[in-house]
Amino acid sequence: MAFHSFNGRFVAGLAFTGFMLTAAGCQSGGSSMLGFGKKDTTPPPPPDPKVLASQLQAYCPKVTLRDGTAFFNTYAKGNQKPRKKAAAQDAEAAALDASGDQQDDSAKVIYQASITDVTRDCNRANGTLTMKIAVAGKVVPGPMFSPGTITMPIRVAVMHGTEVLYSQLHQHQVQVTNPSSATQFVFTDSNVVVPEPTAQDYQAFAGYDEGPAKKTDKIAAAE
């Protein structure tokens, strides 16, 4: 009887142990003791943000003015040119500046030109991006002004990082006849052609440039 009782308790213990293992397996999602088949509950990482094709097709690089390129001043011969004005300074205020070492210079001003707005338009065809960049501004006659045609150097450029995709210096002429008021002007470069961008990372610039012509300008003039 003692042997039968021991066997009964042994069988009952094995049955209880099997039940506990089965219950544990159910609670762990059916995984085995070695971890095979275990479900991964870690949420997937968010996808990398990508520019949609429709967004890239609608992309037209913004045109900006670099510091010091929004104003262009001319002076009578024999007069030293003053230091460059800040881009935010108004042209009329500069013409009336008579403080310090600017007093003699302002008396020799022929005219002062300023760019007041820039805009652009884009078209795509055959793997290229064609931009039409427009510049609006005004010419303010100075004390040494006389009616006639004035010429302003306006540069238009497009860059991709440090790479110059387009750069052209234009000599824009404006007829100014009224010495007592500002004359408005609009300049447009309709032939800005660059490779079609693959990302929204182009930079377009427009502004006055009194420096020497760049290599790209000489090539364009030869063509």
Side-chain angles (χ1 to χ4, degrees):
M1 293 296 293
F3 177 76
H4 178 74
S5 176
F6 172 77
N7 285 343
R9 290 196 299 269
F10 179 77
V11 172
L14 288 177
F16 178 76
T17 302
F19 172 78
M20 292 300 294
L21 289 175
T22 303
C26 294
Q27 291 176 356
S28 62
S31 62
S32 67
M33 295 179 64
L34 296 179
F36 295 110
K38 184 179 181 180
K39 294 182 179 180
D40 186 5
T41 58
T42 304
D48 295 333
K50 295 182 179 180
V51 179
L52 300 177
S54 58
Q55 294 175 323
L56 193 58
Q57 286 293 321
Y59 170 61
C60 189
K62 183 180 179 181
V63 183
T64 58
L65 285 167
R66 282 176 168 166
D67 291 342
T69 66
F71 293 88
F72 174 69
N73 307 330
T74 58
Y75 301 86
K77 292 182 179 180
N79 190 69
Q80 186 178 2
K81 186 177 178 180
R83 59 180 179 269
K84 286 185 178 180
K85 305 292 183 182
Q89 185 177 9
D90 189 80
E92 288 93 337
L96 297 175
D97 184 10
S99 61
D101 59 353
Q102 300 295 319
Q103 184 172 0
D104 294 337
D105 291 322
S106 62
K108 296 292 185 177
V109 172
I110 300 176
Y111 70 87
Q112 294 184 322
S114 63
I115 295 175
T116 56
D117 195 15
V118 290
T119 187
R120 83 286 191 213
D121 182 59
C122 294
N123 288 295
R124 289 172 171 79
N126 302 321
T128 61
L129 173 68
T130 301
M131 299 183 67
K132 180 186 294 184
I133 296 179
V135 174
K138 57 186 176 181
V139 178
V140 179
M144 301 298 292
F145 174 80
S146 59
T149 301
I150 65 171
T151 302
M152 298 176 292
I154 300 177
R155 182 176 294 280
V156 175
V158 179
M159 299 188 68
H160 180 213
T162 59
E163 180 185 4
V164 179
L165 302 178
Y166 177 90
S167 180
Q168 183 65 45
L169 182 63
H170 305 271
Q171 302 296 332
H172 182 58
Q173 294 185 334
V174 178
Q175 185 73 23
V176 181
T177 58
N178 189 349
S180 61
S181 63
T183 298
Q184 307 291 328
F185 72 87
V186 175
F187 163 76
T188 303
D189 186 346
S190 303
N191 299 308
V192 182
V193 181
V194 296
E196 187 172 9
T198 57
Q200 298 182 0
D201 54 0
Y202 279 10
Q203 291 180 297
F205 300 97
Y208 294 118
D209 185 356
E210 302 174 62
K214 294 184 178 180
K215 183 178 180 180
T216 51
D217 299 326
K218 295 178 181 178
I219 295 175
E223 296 174 351

